[in-house]
Amino acid sequence: LVKLVESGGGSVQPGGSLRLSCAASGYTDVYTFTDFCFAWFRQAPGLEREGVATINNDYYTSYGDSVKGRFVISRDSTNDTLYLQMNNLKPEDTATYYCAADLSGDCAWLMEHRKHFAGWGQGIQVAVSS
């Protein structure tokens, strides 16, 4: 349906910032970037996958409680890329981060109800430590 490739991960000290990118390509049929809503998830070792943020086609955004006020999700249709700006990072933000996409139009609803997303990236590591 869509190919998603994350980049921008790495290691940072507590209080630092990182910006993750997720480049979308390889659309099937007549779909384009603007047809998809997007989300960021993360999974730390030994823990369940956690929803981080979503952005719908109309740019409506939603955030998990643990990242509200620190992370900002955005999308740029000029280069078919999803972003996650992560500020004031904490050690508990350490995880593998995944971007996801769906054609449903309401990724916030999908995340809230733990529904399936149609497309996934391969994941990228973020480590926060001193």
Side-chain angles (χ1 to χ4, degrees):
L1 193 63
V2 60
K3 179 181 178 182
L4 301 172
V5 180
E6 301 97 338
S7 62
S11 298
V12 64
Q13 293 187 337
S17 298
L18 281 175
R19 188 177 79 159
L20 302 182
S21 300
C22 174
S25 64
Y27 311 106
T28 58
D29 299 322
V30 297
Y31 301 119
T32 65
F33 182 80
T34 57
D35 294 314
F36 291 87
C37 63
F38 294 92
W40 287 99
F41 290 84
R42 67 186 182 186
Q43 188 166 20
L47 299 180
E48 290 188 356
R49 188 175 63 197
E50 175 188 13
V52 175
T54 67
I55 185 166
N56 288 346
N57 311 54
D58 61 0
Y59 292 86
Y60 172 83
T61 59
S62 68
Y63 296 91
D65 289 340
S66 62
V67 306
K68 281 180 182 176
R70 300 189 297 123
F71 291 12
V72 178
I73 188 171
S74 62
R75 58 189 292 165
D76 187 348
S77 60
T78 65
N79 60 8
D80 289 14
T81 302
L82 173 74
Y83 298 101
L84 184 68
Q85 177 66 43
M86 304 186 294
N87 301 319
N88 190 21
L89 283 159
K90 304 176 180 181
E92 52 263 42
D93 295 318
T94 296
T96 300
Y97 284 71
Y98 300 87
C99 61
D102 200 83
L103 289 167
S104 69
D106 193 348
C107 282
W109 188 90
L110 290 179
M111 181 176 285
E112 180 182 358
H113 293 86
R114 299 180 178 272
K115 298 298 185 181
H116 171 75
F117 278 74
W120 289 87
Q122 80 286 353
I124 193 161
Q125 292 279 345
V126 171
V128 185
S129 68
S130 53

